[in-house]
Amino acid sequence: MEVGGAGLFFSINYERQLSKAPGFSWRVGLGGYTDGDFYITYNTGLAYLFALNEAQDSFIEFAANFTIAREYKGISERSNRADLFENVVPGLSYRKHFKNDMIFKAGINGVFNQYGITPWLNLGFGKRF
């Protein structure tokens, strides 16, 4: 789960390590965003973890994500036209892996889209398996 970050306001993500940690990982997620209207967000991206210690439980994460936000339209609404916008969301985070396989992550992202550039914070919690 992540608040902020690539899913914009919130997201639930699946991440798969592509190499031994530290190394590359791929993620995909589903989330939400609101600015008065509600948007469903779909994100995907790559990250690279740099170990900060020999135990390899503290990392710096560099990420590059792509997020599509699509306005949610109810079934009863007459218009089929939904607002859609794309975001490129690079990020830099601190990440900690705990002995009980829990993960904590906190960092900053930049959201690049048709409206300009917005700095964005992220805070995430998860479970390794």
Side-chain angles (χ1 to χ4, degrees), residues 45-111:
L46 292 172
Y48 191 84
L49 298 177
F50 289 96
L52 296 176
N53 59 13
E54 276 188 43
Q56 294 190 2
D57 60 2
S58 292
F59 304 91
I60 294 293
E61 176 186 277
F62 291 97
N65 300 287
F66 179 73
T67 302
I68 294 175
R70 186 176 195 284
E71 185 178 8
Y72 175 76
K73 295 281 190 179
I75 294 171
S76 63
E77 292 193 38
R78 295 184 190 268
S79 172
N80 290 335
R81 185 168 177 200
D83 195 13
L84 180 78
F85 64 97
E86 301 168 343
N87 306 273
V88 174
V89 188
L92 175 65
S93 300
Y94 169 77
R95 185 166 162 163
K96 174 75 174 165
H97 294 183
F98 295 95
K99 291 186 191 306
N100 62 357
D101 289 331
M102 296 303 290
I103 298 170
F104 168 77
K105 178 174 119 169
I108 187 163
N109 298 86
V111 178

